[in-house]
Amino acid sequence: MDNPYIEAEISDIVKNGRFLVIGGTGTIGSSICRELFASDPKVLHVVDISENNMVELVELFNKMLLEFNHKETGNFLDDRM
């Protein structure tokens, strides 16, 4: 986006928002979940019929958290993940 005001407004909405993504491990749903998760929402609930895909999405979220922590502090939260 080119408008920093709109970006700030959207960021604020997401950070204070509670989201439910149904079909969250499909192609579109997982993309939405990744974008929301990266913006640090207050609550993100993901529902899907595929347990395997849900496990993969949770692993991706864990990896994103580790990468974020590494960028912020230079350390990994837990090297066992």
Side-chain angles (χ1 to χ4, degrees), residues 16-31:
N16 294 309
R18 299 161 104 59
F19 299 92
L20 170 63
V21 181
I22 298 173
T25 66
T27 304
I28 297 169
S30 64
S31 180

Side-chain angles (χ1 to χ4, degrees), residues 17-44:
R18 299 161 104 59
F19 299 92
L20 170 63
V21 181
I22 298 173
T25 66
T27 304
I28 297 169
S30 64
S31 180
I32 291 169
C33 288
R34 283 192 302 273
E35 290 296 320
L36 287 171
F37 188 80
S39 299
D40 193 28
K42 193 172 278 189
V43 177
L44 174 60

Side-chain angles (χ1 to χ4, degrees), residues 51-80:
E51 182 179 353
N52 188 46
N53 289 347
M54 186 69 75
V55 169
E56 289 178 10
L57 186 64
V58 169
E59 288 174 352
L60 174 66
F61 288 167
N62 284 332
K63 181 180 177 186
M64 290 171 71
L65 283 173
L66 288 171
E67 289 173 358
F68 174 77
N69 183 58
H70 183 69
K71 286 178 188 174
E72 293 293 310
T73 65
N75 298 317
F76 283 105
L77 288 172
D78 186 352
D79 291 335
R80 296 174 292 173

